[in-house]
Amino acid sequence: MPIYLDNNATTKPLAAGIEAMIPLLAQEYANPSSLHRPGRAARERVERAREQVAGLIGARPKEIVFTSGGTESINLAIRGIFGGGNRRQELIISAVEHSAVRRLADRLEAEGCQVVRIGVDASGLLDLDNLDSKITDSTSLISIMHANNETGVIFDVEAVCEIAQRHSVPVHLDAVQSAGKLPLDVRSLPVNLMSISGHKMHGPKGVGALFIRRRTRLRPLMVGGGQERGLRPGTENVPAIVGFGVAADQASRLADAQGASIRKLRDEFERIVTSLIPIAHVIGEPASRLPNTSNIGFAGLQSEIIVQLLSERGVYASAGAACGSGSLEPSHVLQAMAIEPAIAHGAVRFSLSRFTTDKEIHDTVEILNAVITRLRAMAPTARRF
Ligand code: PLP
């Protein structure tokens, strides 16, 4: 049986979510805006899912807008603020954001906005003093991630919100990787906007949500019908929204207990790997990290080859360096952390889920050890580390 350790890319959809979706795809296909009985039933399903998603983050259902996923939520949040005739036109992000934020920031910059990128230290943590000093009267929004998709490093969002509030600047939190893995409560965390995604928490793909705190003014990306209070017009994807609701509901109930058992497995994995393989370096330590994420740099080796050999043996992980124009470039995240190039080039991300078993972790360690031993025998540079 293959071992799936790429849960930060996407997760296995819950059986209960799929079961709830099938009748909505096959028979109960009415438009939730229709006034007839099946239309009203579809509306009820959407509103129930809205309550479930709101419940996951302590929001009011009215503060949730369904979108097509994390990327759209992020675009709606950031463009929604910048496209709204706001006179202050500066965006602050971190240097390690997901490309949904990074590329949008690049685009806004090309359109004339100021973008400030705040660096991180060697363990991936945000330079908070620098953030504080970069806020000006022109700052319209701070958009930062909660947990990094590559390293799992968790930002101190409470501290970011405290700084932002002192300067009266709104905060958008990219919680795509943390929602369902860490407790999140917008009643105590004063973010104005928060993006989450269904497929990262055992829901279906192509559905996400944006939390919009009451009184936050946003301009929609699209014009059309009045769905989602006009903020996301277009007929709702009822089956996906319902599957997302089921996943959010399970995550609300299970997150704490499962987080602890996933962390135990992850810690065990890192302990054995680093003791067996001398060239293995855990990236992101000693920062606090998502319980499911382990990014390990195998010094002197190339991550794409490791991932390929693991895949041939039925272990699915992800490379921290991508091949662009013929050369392996470490990701912008590892570069921002100034990880030694020899380690960054060999970075592999293993991301666990609530379905990962003890046996899978021990089998992975064995297969990984064999792969690395083989590659080290072939790569003379790796022997030096
Ligand atoms: N933000 C982060 C931190 C992510 O990890 C991802 C997906 O990998 C996204 C945003 C984009 O989410 P989606 O795939 O739902 O568009």
Side-chain angles (χ1 to χ4, degrees):
M1 276 292 275
I3 303 173
Y4 184 78
L5 295 177
D6 198 15
N7 288 282
N8 286 10
T10 199
T11 54
K12 177 183 160 127
L14 291 179
I18 297 170
E19 247 168 62
M21 290 171 70
I22 289 172
L24 299 166
L25 288 161
Q27 301 101 27
E28 300 163 30
Y29 49 78
N31 189 320
S33 295
S34 296
L35 294 178
H36 45 65
R37 194 178 50 75
R40 285 203 310 269
R43 169 61 52 209
E44 271 170 32
R45 303 298 299 268
V46 169
E47 295 316 313
R48 173 75 194 112
R50 200 184 306 281
E51 285 167 11
Q52 290 169 317
V53 171
L56 176 67
I57 58 168
R60 300 181 182 90
K62 267 194 185 154
E63 294 172 311
I64 298 296
V65 164
F66 286 117
T67 66
S68 66
T71 301
E72 186 188 335
S73 296
I74 288 167
N75 275 262
L76 176 57
I78 299 179
R79 275 239 184 252
I81 294 280
F82 279 79
N86 197 322
R87 277 180 289 114
R88 302 198 297 171
Q89 289 290 309
E90 184 180 283
L91 170 67
I92 299 184
I93 64 171
S94 85
V96 296
E97 295 300 309
H98 184 268
S99 45
V101 171
R102 238 158 55 91
R103 298 236 165 94
L104 177 56
D106 293 345
R107 179 74 67 86
L108 287 169
E109 203 168 33
E111 290 171 10
C113 293
Q114 288 287 326
V115 177
V116 176
R117 297 166 182 83
I118 306 293
V120 296
D121 66 15
S123 64
L125 287 174
L126 202 59
D127 182 342
L128 291 170
D129 290 336
N130 191 17
L131 169 69
D132 198 358
S133 72
K134 289 286 162 47
I135 299 175
T136 69
D137 286 348
S138 308
T139 309
S140 306
L141 183 69
I142 298 171
S143 180
I144 51 145
M145 63 202 327
H146 190 190
N148 189 274
N149 44 303
E150 289 186 30
T151 60
V153 169
I154 300 168
F155 279 164
D156 184 350
V157 279
E158 286 82 9
V160 171
C161 287
E162 195 267 313
I163 293 168
Q165 282 198 318
R166 239 190 302 119
H167 296 271
S168 305
V169 172
V171 173
H172 164 243
L173 189 68
D174 173 357
V176 167
Q177 286 295 343
S178 57
K181 295 178 190 154
L182 298 177
L184 267 174
D185 193 336
V186 295
R187 286 166 297 197
S188 52
L189 185 68
V191 294
N192 304 75
L193 298 152
M194 185 194 291
S195 293
I196 62 178
S197 177
H199 75 107
K200 305 287 188 186
M201 56 169 95
H202 303 287
K205 294 170 186 61
V207 66
L210 180 64
F211 158 74
I212 307 173
R213 193 177 291 280
R214 220 163 37 150
R215 288 196 280 274
T216 306
R217 300 239 322 261
L218 277 197
R219 203 160 106 147
L221 295 171
M222 299 186 287
V223 282
Q227 294 93 343
E228 300 298 288
R229 293 185 290 122
L231 283 163
R232 208 290 182 160
T235 302
E236 298 89 338
N237 184 350
V238 181
I241 288 172
V242 167
F244 182 20
V246 171
D249 188 47
Q250 281 222 6
S252 322
R253 286 184 284 117
L254 300 176
D256 284 356
Q258 290 195 329
S261 61
I262 296 170
R263 182 185 301 279
K264 217 169 132 226
L265 278 184
R266 190 274 313 269
D267 289 350
E268 168 89 341
F269 173 70
E270 290 185 346
R271 192 184 59 72
I272 310 177
V273 169
T274 50
S275 68
L276 277 180
I277 305 173
I279 57 164
H281 300 262
V282 175
I283 295 171
E285 271 191 322
S288 130
R289 290 177 294 146
L290 286 175
N292 79 317
T293 308
S294 180
N295 193 321
I296 302 188
F298 297 94
L301 299 180
Q302 304 229 312
S303 57
E304 284 196 333
I305 300 166
I306 304 171
V307 167
Q308 209 176 311
L309 291 181
L310 286 174
S311 168
E312 282 169 18
R313 288 157 181 76
V315 174
Y316 305 143
S318 159
C323 189
S325 59
S327 69
L328 273 177
E329 270 290 302
S331 75
H332 69 283
V333 176
L334 303 185
Q335 289 189 32
M337 291 164 76
I339 301 292
E340 213 182 296
I343 296 175
H345 281 116
V348 179
R349 180 188 70 189
F350 302 88
S351 45
L352 288 62
S353 82
R354 68 177 83 150
F355 299 112
T356 308
T357 64
D358 196 54
K359 178 171 180 340
E360 284 180 327
I361 286 301
H362 285 94
D363 289 352
T364 299
V365 169
E366 218 171 276
I367 293 166
L368 180 63
N369 193 24
V371 163
I372 300 295
T373 305
R374 187 178 147 202
L375 286 174
R376 283 185 81 192
M378 287 159 57
T381 51
R383 282 191 226 123
R384 291 207 307 268
F385 294 96

